């Protein structure tokens, strides 16, 4: 066994949260998620709205990357991106996706699965308008996920966008939002002796069914 493997095997956290009880869990997982997100914000977790988005390509190969949750509207989890990006191309051929919120400093994580669809353009316009000016210019400068020959080329594209649009650029036509309509939401919390708590909510018709899973 090499040194790195030895180090990895010795890495071990002791979880010590109070057990989760069914009686303390909300009947609606969206409300439970909101509670946990608010607690992550109060705990000053870095980027509490950051999550991993997992998609699959046309060959069924999985990919994951970080995105920022920017809305929870009409029961959908909203995030924004370049529609020419790799993630958007994956979602155009297979709309099934997974969001994973890793709040490990709170000994918690949430896993959400479902299908995504594009948001209304007006909704994307409203969010884009709220972004910092330099972030708006970045959306114009980046040909997201495509080959880039150098950092200098990217910075030049940014300066060209700034010269063209100034400090108030419009939303690019290739930029917008996706909303994930959840089919399942799992809440995980660490427990002593690896006796973790897991509650799975599954959508059946228009109602959510909740069950406890083994750790």
């Amino acid at each position: 066994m090499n040194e790195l493997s030895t180090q990895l095997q010795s890495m071990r956290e002791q979880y010590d949260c109070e057990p989760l009880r069914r009686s303390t869990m909300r009947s609606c997982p969206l409300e439970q998620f909101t509670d946990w997100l608010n607690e992550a914000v109060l705990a000053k977790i870095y980027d509490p709205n950051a999550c991993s988005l997992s998609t699959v390509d046309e060959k069924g190969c999985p990919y994951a990357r970080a995105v920022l949750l920017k809305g929870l509207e009409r029961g959908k989890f909203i995030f924004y991106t370049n529609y020419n990006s790799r993630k958007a191309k994956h979602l155009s051929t297979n709309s099934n996706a997974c969001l994973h919120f890793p709040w490990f400093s709170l000994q918690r994580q949430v896993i959400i699965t479902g299908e995504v669809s594009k948001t209304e353009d007006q909704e994307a316009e409203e969010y884009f308008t709220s972004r910092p000016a330099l972030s708006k210019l970045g959306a114009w400068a980046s040909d997201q996920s495509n080959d880039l020959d150098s950092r200098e080329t990217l910075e030049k594209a940014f300066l060209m966008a700034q010269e063209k649009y100034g400090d108030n650029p419009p939303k690019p036509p290739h930029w917008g939002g996706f909303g994930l309509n959840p089919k399942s939401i799992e809440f995980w919390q660490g427990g002593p002796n690896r006796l973790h708590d897991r509650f799975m909510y599954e959508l059946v018709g228009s109602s959510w069914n909740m069950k406890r899973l083994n750790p």
Side-chain angles (χ1 to χ4, degrees):
M1 183 183 300
N2 61 40
E3 183 179 352
L4 176 59
S5 294
T6 301
Q7 291 176 359
L8 290 172
Q9 290 191 7
S10 67
M11 294 178 186
R12 188 168 290 106
E13 295 294 333
Q14 297 299 324
Y15 299 102
D16 56 5
C17 286
E18 289 293 323
L20 287 178
R21 303 297 184 186
R22 181 184 292 265
S23 60
T24 66
M25 302 291 289
R26 289 183 179 265
S27 59
C28 173
L30 301 179
E31 294 177 359
Q32 185 66 45
F33 176 85
T34 300
D35 287 347
W36 275 24
L37 177 59
N38 286 335
E39 290 176 26
V41 172
L42 289 173
K44 300 186 184 303
I45 289 179
Y46 186 76
D47 276 351
N49 61 325
C51 58
S52 294
L53 168 69
S54 297
T55 60
V56 294
D57 66 12
E58 67 280 359
K59 296 180 180 179
C61 294
Y63 288 80
R65 78 288 287 161
V67 298
L68 296 175
L69 181 70
K70 287 298 180 179
L72 183 50
E73 301 286 343
R74 302 174 302 282
K76 294 184 178 182
F77 293 79
I78 310 295
F79 59 93
Y80 293 90
T81 190
N82 185 318
Y83 284 149
N84 296 323
S85 65
R86 182 170 62 189
K87 70 177 82 66
K89 291 177 180 177
H90 288 180
L91 293 172
S92 70
T93 57
N94 187 335
S95 61
N96 292 294
C98 176
L99 295 174
H100 173 236
F101 290 83
W103 298 321
F104 293 129
S105 62
L106 294 180
Q107 302 182 25
R108 288 175 173 175
Q109 56 183 322
V110 180
I111 303 169
I112 306 165
T113 67
E115 293 189 53
V116 303
S117 57
K118 289 183 177 179
T119 62
E120 295 291 336
D121 200 53
Q122 180 180 351
E123 188 174 356
E125 288 275 6
E126 291 175 357
Y127 172 66
F128 191 83
T129 300
S130 73
R131 301 181 82 204
L134 298 182
S135 295
K136 295 178 188 177
L137 291 170
W140 281 100
S142 174
D143 189 13
Q144 195 174 114
S145 298
N146 289 301
D147 293 348
L148 179 65
D149 62 354
S150 69
R151 172 77 187 188
E152 289 72 23
T153 297
L154 180 62
E155 292 174 348
K156 182 179 179 180
F158 181 89
L159 293 174
M160 290 175 63
Q162 192 171 37
E163 182 177 351
K164 181 176 182 178
Y165 297 113
D167 294 329
N168 191 27
K171 182 185 77 65
H174 55 267
W175 191 96
F178 284 103
L180 185 145
N181 194 22
K183 292 182 177 179
S184 72
I185 304 180
E186 179 182 338
F187 296 86
W188 179 101
Q189 182 171 281
N193 307 314
R194 293 302 190 264
L195 301 181
H196 310 309
D197 289 301
R198 297 172 62 189
F199 282 96
M200 171 72 82
Y201 294 76
E202 293 179 308
L203 189 62
V204 180
S206 59
S207 301
W208 287 100
N209 285 353
M210 178 176 62
K211 59 185 177 183
R212 181 186 280 272
L213 302 178
N214 271 285

